[in-house]
Amino acid sequence: MATLRLILGDQLSPNLSSLRDLAAGDRILMAELAAEAGYANHHKKKIAFLFSAMRHFADDLRKAGHQVDYIRFDDPHNTGDFTGEVERALNRHAIDRLVVTAPGEYRLHLIFEDWKDRFPCAVDIREDDRFLSSIDAFKAWADGRKTLRMEFFYRELRRQHHILMDGDEPVGGQWNYDSENRQPPKEGLSPPPRHITPPDAITQDVLDLVERHFPDHFGRLDGFDFATTRSDAEQVLERFIDERLPLFGTYQDAMVEGEPWMYHAHIGLYLNAGLLDPMAVIQSAELAYRQGAAPLNAVEGFIRQILGWREYVRGIYWLKMPDYAEENALDAQRPLPDFYWTAETDMNCLKQVVSETRDHAYAHHIQRLMVLGNFALLAGLDPREVNAWFLGVYADAYEWVELPNVTGMTLFADGGYLASKPYAASGAYINRMSTYCKNCRYKVAQKNGEDACPFNYLYWDFLIRNQEKLRSNPRMGMPYRTLAKMDAEKINRITSDSAAFLKKMEQS
Ligand code: DLZ
Ligand code: SF4
């Protein structure tokens, strides 16, 4: 009798817990599945990336002498979901034990737990220990705290893993250097090109398959240049550390029309699929600082995203599911407007960011949070629809990371559990941090009327609509004091401009 080891599309790591104690005669199962490709409107490039990375990973396992059952998407016997494929594998081989690393999404957690009763063999679901904090450790940290703030969790992990520490003190004397970051884009800013990986024969096959089978999915497939192997992903990382990390911190929030990558690493998709290990990435960045190749504000800011934020949102996800997916604290009900799919809108910031998302299955964090997310928050878009969109369109998105970022951080739909205040902003923020406004049909300096930037009146309309829920938030004191001083006529103009804009948006 042998063990069947199931590996999911985002578990492409040789040190995966389900691959430990691999013995001669064991079978590894990987499958390209309709259910996984179809539970969200996944971007075509995301599907192509995962299928190609899965095929490369399977080839590496075979080269290392392991027996892999790899079920291709167009295999006529492919049942389309994990349960069906495990069932078929159990019928093909003499198996007495199924081993799988815990999935990254709650919907699969429920299905995998169900297997314990369903299948005749033993089912061993192992911890996913590719993270720097376990789910149990996060729960213990969260226990008894009323609100959870990333900054304190991050400091503990810095100490625990001895990252950017001088003895017991943070390097440089501060934990956080964001005061030196977040500069607006400078005139003529020209980030160095990122590393690209031309498609090999495996990727080309997958691109043809995705073109044939997923014509209606969101996004463009042409120009696919993502890494699909560990070694290529490492090259992407190396090139980022050498060329763009030094200015990453300074310009991490800046948005420049026609520059989708800026000084960002574009490694989230590799980390989240298992092609890069978080600790190795963190250590490479720290080494760059120790060798004087990158400044502390950049390195600390970059490491905080991985050691702090990424671990923290995962902890929140597993702490709060399944209820977290239903949260809608601001009772937002408006359907997602079509322009999130088509990019057809006169608001240039949204047009640019949706277009880049469509072309690359990527946008950076401020484009997501302060353009797409900010609009969704101000317009009161339904969190379920906004979550479904973010889950599909980004190559790095899985529910464990997407849901807390959208429901908690972006939409304040958890009522302030994750974020201390809503990230609501008027057009002035987008104008300061981007080059979008100068090419926009709307006037960012205008507050009301036909030509006014919609973010301007929608911002105040949001505060008016939600004052019962938000006024007592200490971090919202300033805008509510300003609102209290507004005369009735001004408030009338805000609400009527907003109503007219939103009505038109719903009708188009
Ligand atoms: C996202 C995704 C897609 C598009 N396709 C597959 C697939 O065909 N086979 C597979 O094993 N995994 C796929 N995935 C990743 C899974 O959806 C992912 O493992 C879960 O969402 C848990 O994070
Ligand atoms: Fe966006 Fe307003 Fe600027 Fe236009 S003017 S790009 S809508 S922020």
Side-chain angles (χ1 to χ4, degrees):
M1 290 295 240
T3 296
L4 180 68
R5 296 170 191 271
L6 171 66
I7 299 184
L8 315 189
D10 56 354
Q11 297 184 340
L12 309 179
S13 316
N15 64 346
L16 196 69
S17 57
S18 61
L19 286 175
R20 289 175 204 149
D21 66 356
L22 197 62
D26 285 358
R27 292 272 164 179
I28 295 168
L29 174 64
M30 298 179 70
E32 296 168 3
L33 300 167
E36 294 311 301
Y39 75 86
N41 186 353
H42 293 300
H43 195 293
K44 291 187 185 111
K45 280 195 169 117
K46 178 183 189 181
I47 302 174
F49 161 64
L50 278 172
F51 284 10
S52 175
M54 287 169 67
R55 290 184 183 193
H56 282 97
F57 190 72
D59 277 359
D60 287 348
L61 289 169
R62 284 199 189 105
K63 280 182 204 142
H66 307 302
Q67 302 186 78
V68 185
D69 286 13
Y70 190 94
I71 313 301
R72 290 189 174 214
F73 190 80
D74 49 8
D75 179 334
H77 301 292
N78 187 338
T79 56
D81 62 32
F82 284 118
T83 304
E85 285 316 297
V86 169
E87 212 146 47
R88 282 202 318 127
L90 294 179
N91 289 332
R92 273 196 305 274
H93 310 290
I95 299 290
D96 61 355
R97 185 172 65 136
L98 168 67
V99 173
V100 62
T101 292
E105 299 193 341
Y106 194 82
R107 69 190 168 87
L108 289 179
H109 162 75
L110 293 179
I111 292 172
F112 289 9
E113 283 297 323
D114 190 48
W115 288 350
K116 291 177 179 168
D117 295 328
R118 184 184 183 110
F119 294 138
C121 62
V123 175
D124 178 5
I125 302 173
R126 296 185 178 170
E127 186 181 343
D128 187 349
D129 54 11
R130 297 174 298 165
F131 291 85
L132 299 165
S133 168
S134 70
I135 291 169
D136 285 346
F138 187 86
K139 283 185 179 153
W141 175 78
D143 197 31
R145 287 172 201 252
K146 223 168 97 210
T147 54
L148 305 179
R149 294 291 169 251
M150 189 275 290
E151 185 65 29
F152 299 109
F153 175 67
Y154 164 63
R155 290 180 193 178
E156 279 197 20
L157 287 181
R158 287 263 301 268
R159 283 196 192 94
Q160 200 178 315
H161 293 279
H162 212 76
I163 302 295
L164 287 180
M165 298 295 290
D166 275 340
D168 294 335
E169 295 302 315
V171 166
Q174 272 170 241
W175 290 102
N176 182 316
Y177 290 87
D178 261 358
S179 57
E180 295 170 34
N181 291 339
R182 304 174 167 169
Q183 297 292 314
K186 203 170 57 181
E187 191 72 36
L189 201 63
S190 174
R194 81 206 154 100
H195 183 84
I196 61 166
T197 314
D200 64 4
I202 292 178
T203 301
Q204 199 49 60
D205 275 355
V206 166
L207 291 171
D208 295 343
L209 181 137
V210 172
E211 195 76 76
R212 268 200 316 280
H213 289 277
F214 302 96
D216 300 331
H217 274 239
F218 178 68
R220 291 175 67 159
L221 204 49
D222 57 306
F224 183 96
D225 55 19
F226 298 162
T228 55
T229 64
R230 178 163 282 262
S231 60
D232 284 337
E234 279 163 0
Q235 283 192 41
V236 171
L237 173 69
E238 211 171 288
R239 179 98 175 253
F240 161 73
I241 295 211
D242 288 349
E243 297 181 7
R244 283 174 300 137
L245 176 61
L247 283 177
F248 164 80
T250 310
Y251 294 118
Q252 65 173 300
D253 289 4
M255 300 174 277
V256 174
E257 194 165 324
E259 291 286 354
W261 318 102
M262 294 297 289
Y263 291 88
H264 287 265
H266 192 240
I267 58 162
L269 76 172
Y270 308 130
L271 276 168
N272 295 350
L275 297 186
L276 292 176
D277 302 324
M279 188 48 108
V281 173
I282 289 168
Q283 284 170 342
S284 313
E286 177 160 4
L287 187 66
Y289 166 69
R290 301 271 182 196
Q291 292 177 336
L296 190 51
N297 67 308
V299 172
E300 186 281 317
F302 177 72
I303 286 179
R304 180 157 21 92
Q305 298 304 320
I306 300 170
L307 182 63
W309 191 250
R310 183 170 183 269
E311 297 285 331
Y312 169 77
V313 295
R314 177 180 182 250
I316 299 255
Y317 178 77
W318 288 108
L319 189 66
K320 292 305 222 180
M321 280 302 278
D323 298 348
Y324 210 67
E326 304 304 318
E327 299 266 24
N328 191 358
L330 299 181
D331 196 24
Q333 303 288 351
R334 203 175 303 282
L336 189 83
D338 226 31
F339 65 71
Y340 274 77
W341 301 109
T342 63
E344 283 166 21
T345 166
D346 286 342
M347 289 176 282
N348 191 41
C349 50
L350 283 157
K351 186 190 191 72
Q352 295 305 324
V353 179
V354 174
S355 302
E356 290 180 1
T357 302
R358 177 199 62 209
D359 294 350
H360 307 299
Y362 176 77
H364 74 62
H365 71 152
I366 290 301
Q367 294 175 306
R368 297 188 203 193
L369 179 67
M370 297 309 291
V371 177
L372 299 161
N374 185 25
F375 184 83
L377 173 73
L378 300 187
L381 305 186
D382 184 335
R384 272 168 310 204
E385 296 202 15
V386 180
N387 272 296
W389 187 85
F390 274 96
L391 183 59
V393 303
Y394 292 114
D396 47 71
Y398 303 90
E399 199 183 59
W400 66 265
V401 60
E402 173 278 321
L403 184 67
N405 270 302
V406 172
T407 276
M409 177 83 173
T410 306
L411 299 180
F412 207 68
D414 65 357
Y417 185 74
L418 183 146
S420 54
K421 70 172 179 88
Y423 278 80
S426 68
Y429 174 85
I430 296 174
N431 188 37
R432 185 167 69 251
M433 295 310 297
S434 81
T435 62
Y436 298 142
C437 298
K438 63 175 195 271
N439 295 329
C440 187
R441 137 193 188 339
Y442 294 108
K443 294 186 172 54
V444 72
Q446 204 168 312
K447 306 283 182 242
N448 284 100
E450 269 282 291
D451 293 334
C453 166
F455 282 86
N456 291 343
Y457 46 76
L458 288 175
Y459 171 77
W460 290 108
D461 191 58
F462 167 79
L463 293 179
I464 295 165
R465 274 195 335 261
N466 293 293
Q467 48 187 326
E468 287 310 310
K469 288 173 179 149
L470 300 178
R471 200 173 24 204
S472 58
N473 181 319
R475 296 197 60 196
M476 299 299 282
M478 200 146 77
Y480 276 110
R481 278 193 296 280
T482 309
L483 184 64
K485 286 186 215 141
M486 275 185 200
D487 59 38
E489 195 206 322
K490 184 144 197 213
I491 290 184
N492 248 334
R493 266 187 301 170
I494 288 167
T495 50
S496 63
D497 278 352
S498 299
F501 174 87
L502 293 170
K503 187 164 170 214
K504 201 165 152 205
M505 181 180 87
E506 279 188 12
Q507 284 166 348
S508 63

